[in-house]
Amino acid sequence: MPLPVVESPAPACCAPPPAPPPAAAPGRTGRTALLLAVGLGTWAAAYAAIQPVSEWLSFRALGLAPASRLGQSVAFFLFDTPKVLLLLALIVFAVGIVRSFFTAERTRAILAGKRESVGNVLAALLGIVTPFCSCSAVPLFIGFVEVGIPLGVTLSFLVSAPMVNEIALVMLFGMFGWKVAALYLATGLSIAIVSGFVLGRLKLERFVEPWVYESMQAEATFQKERLGFTGRVQKGLEAVREIVGKVWPWVLAGIAIGAGIHGYVPEGLLVSFMGKSAWWSVPLAVIIGVPMYSNAAGIIPVVEALLGKGAALGTVLAFMMAVIALSLPEMIILRKVLKPRLIAVFVGVVATGIMLVGWLFNAVL
Amino acid sequence: MRIQVLGTGCAKCKQLTAATEQAVAELALGVAVEKVEDVREIMKFRVMSTPALVVDGQVRSAGKVLSPAAVKALLQPQP
C-alpha cells in the first residue's frame, strides 16, 4: 500500500517538525546492544533470586511461622512485590519498543478506507499495540471519524485499547500460564470486535455530537519517525520510567490487598458467592467493576488471590475486564463527543460482552 | 512568538505546560505559554494525541511529555 506523503498543515517553507536524530553510528548501536545484554542478564539473576530471598526474609529474618496467617500474608507480599515489579519493567520495556513502531496517526492511516467487518478486526488488533491514553480518547475519536472510519470500527478500537492490555496479558501468562492468557486475549479481542460491529449496525451516528462531523478531512497521513536501534531502546526505557514510576503504588496496593486475602480469607469462603454455581456473581462482578478504575498491574494480584480462595475464573476475569475496560473518567471525557444515549449503549454492549465471557469461562472450565 | 500547549487538562498536559514554561523562562523569551483546553480548538490543529506543543501555529510535538531541554530545542530558531 503506497503511503501518502506527509502533509504539513502549515506552509512548507516554515520550519519542519523536529528533525530526526542523526542515524546511529555503528559504535553506538554496539554499545547499546552490550548494555541491553548486561541489563537483561541482571534482570534474570534478580528474578531467579526472588523466591529464596523472600522466603529467607519472611521465615528466617522476620522469624514468622510459615503456617501462620501473618506468615502467609507477609511471604505473599515479599514474593509478589519484586516478582510483579520485575515482570512489569520487562514487559513495559518490550511493549515500549513495539510501540515505537506504531503511532495513532499510522494506525489511522491503516484503518482508513477499510470495510466494516475487516475494519473491526484490524481496529481491535491495532488497539493492543497503539500507544493510547484515555486522556487522548477524544482527539483520537475525532481523528478516526473525520477521515471516514466507521463509528463501529472506531469503537472497536476504543474497547480494545484499554481492555486488551499488554501488561495484564503478560502478567496473566506469568502467574496462571499460557491458557488463561490466551483465553483473555481471544475473548478480549472478540468483545472488542463484536461490540464494535453491533454498535456499527445500530446506526448511532446521530448520537455523536454534530460538530465532530463538521471538520471532515479527506486524507489520513502520518509521519514516519526514524529512531534506529538505540532510539527504540531509549523509548523502551522511557516507557519503563514513566509507566512503572506511575503504577508502582497501585501495584503495591493491589499486592497488599491480595496478601490480605491470601492470609486471612479462609479457603473456599468465596466459593459460595464467587464460585461457578452462583450465576448471578458474574453480572454482580461487572456491576461492581465498571465504576471502579484501576491499573491492570494493580488488579492482577487481587485476581490471583481471589482465584486461590475458590472464586471461579470466569467471574474473576469478568471483574478484571470491567475494571480496566470501562472506566468512569473515560466516559466523562467521551461525553464531549458522544451523547449520553450513545455512551449508555456503548457501556451496555461492552458490559454484556464481558458477562457473556464470564459465563462462558465458568461453563467451559 | 506564540507558544501554545494543547491538552484537555490531564496530568501529562500539565507536565508539558510546566516544562514549556521553564524552557521559556530559561530562554528569556518573555512570552506567555497559552493553554488550549477546549477540544474543538485542539482539533483545529489536527492532532490525534495530546499533549501537543504548538509554536507559531505549527504543531512541533504531539502525544509526548517533553523535558524542558527538549522544549528548548524546539523553541530555538530553525535554520
Side-chain angles (χ1 to χ4, degrees):
Chain A
M1 193 181 83
L3 295 167
V5 179
V6 172
E7 194 190 57
S8 169
C13 64
C14 302
R28 199 163 154 232
T29 302
R31 213 178 56 197
T32 310
L34 187 69
L35 285 176
L36 188 62
V38 171
L40 290 176
T42 313
W43 186 94
Y47 193 79
I50 296 172
Q51 176 130 32
V53 171
S54 72
E55 277 175 8
W56 183 86
L57 267 178
S58 32
F59 304 134
R60 293 281 176 84
L62 294 172
L64 297 165
S68 72
R69 287 183 166 180
L70 187 63
Q72 286 277 315
S73 286
V74 170
F76 182 93
F77 187 81
L78 289 180
F79 175 68
D80 256 34
T81 305
K83 178 178 152 184
V84 168
L85 288 177
L86 276 176
L87 274 175
L88 191 65
L90 186 69
I91 298 154
V92 169
F93 177 68
V95 170
I97 288 180
V98 170
R99 288 205 165 152
S100 71
F101 291 93
F102 291 87
T103 59
E105 286 79 10
R106 187 176 187 183
T107 292
R108 177 170 79 163
I110 297 171
L111 288 176
K114 291 285 185 301
R115 279 185 300 119
E116 255 197 325
S117 44
V118 183
N120 289 113
V121 176
L122 265 179
L125 289 171
L126 287 166
I128 309 174
V129 290
T130 310
F132 173 79
C133 139
S134 61
C135 54
S136 277
V138 165
L140 191 122
F141 179 89
I142 299 172
F144 275 26
V145 168
E146 72 182 3
V147 295
I149 296 173
L151 183 61
V153 174
T154 306
L155 291 176
S156 273
F157 181 90
L158 281 181
V159 174
S160 156
M163 171 133 81
V164 186
N165 182 294
E166 73 289 345
I167 298 172
L169 181 69
V170 187
M171 287 178 62
L172 285 177
F173 173 78
M175 293 179 166
F176 310 112
W178 66 271
K179 278 186 193 166
V180 174
L183 272 171
Y184 162 71
L185 177 65
T187 53
L189 281 173
S190 311
I191 292 172
I193 293 166
V194 174
S195 53
F197 188 75
V198 169
L199 289 162
R201 293 287 103 185
L202 293 175
K203 300 281 168 225
L204 296 163
E205 280 78 1
R206 63 182 183 282
F207 296 117
V208 175
E209 294 290 348
W211 63 268
V212 171
Y213 288 103
E214 283 163 16
S215 62
M216 293 286 281
Q217 170 193 1
E219 272 177 285
T221 59
F222 74 96
Q223 235 173 306
K224 257 205 178 126
E225 223 177 345
R226 268 173 227 284
L227 289 164
F229 178 64
T230 305
R232 295 196 191 282
V233 169
Q234 272 168 0
K235 279 240 169 184
L237 290 177
E238 264 170 42
V240 171
R241 214 173 18 236
E242 190 191 316
I243 299 180
V244 177
K246 198 170 66 184
V247 306
W248 71 266
W250 291 89
V251 174
L252 285 193
I255 297 172
I257 295 172
I261 297 176
H262 191 80
Y264 289 89
V265 177
E267 298 285 336
L269 173 84
L270 295 170
V271 172
S272 54
F273 58 98
M274 282 188 93
K276 282 186 190 187
S277 54
W279 66 269
W280 45 265
S281 67
V282 174
L284 189 69
V286 172
I287 290 167
I288 296 172
V290 169
M292 278 176 70
Y293 177 65
S294 164
N295 198 282
I299 196 84
I300 290 192
V302 180
V303 165
E304 188 186 18
L306 287 174
L307 281 179
K309 299 297 175 181
L313 184 61
T315 310
V316 173
L317 273 184
F319 174 68
M320 182 187 95
M321 284 178 162
V323 170
I324 62 177
L326 295 167
S327 72
L328 210 52
E330 195 186 331
M331 296 307 135
I332 292 168
I333 290 170
L334 281 175
R335 171 65 195 92
K336 287 180 184 158
V337 281
L338 305 178
K339 294 188 177 165
R341 196 73 174 269
L342 179 45
I343 295 182
V345 176
F346 175 75
V347 173
V349 169
V350 175
T352 310
I354 295 174
M355 275 185 243
L356 290 177
V357 164
W359 280 321
L360 180 78
F361 271 47
N362 284 352
V364 171
L365 295 173
Chain B
M1 194 180 219
R2 190 172 185 203
I3 301 165
Q4 291 160 299
V5 174
L6 317 183
T8 45
C10 54
K12 284 186 178 180
C13 313
K14 286 177 191 129
Q15 284 171 29
L16 181 64
T17 309
T20 309
E21 274 164 358
Q22 194 185 326
V24 168
E26 283 172 20
L27 292 172
L29 295 173
V31 290
V33 177
E34 287 173 47
K35 278 167 55 174
V36 182
E37 294 192 332
D38 183 62
V39 187
R40 298 174 69 160
E41 290 300 315
I42 291 173
M43 290 319 292
K44 288 185 185 156
F45 290 97
R46 299 248 172 273
V47 293
M48 281 181 67
S49 33
T50 52
L53 179 67
V54 175
V55 181
D56 289 334
Q58 274 206 34
V59 179
R60 308 302 305 272
S61 154
K64 272 185 282 197
V65 175
L66 302 169
S67 64
V71 177
K72 264 163 115 174
L74 291 179
L75 294 180
Q76 301 287 1
Q78 298 294 316

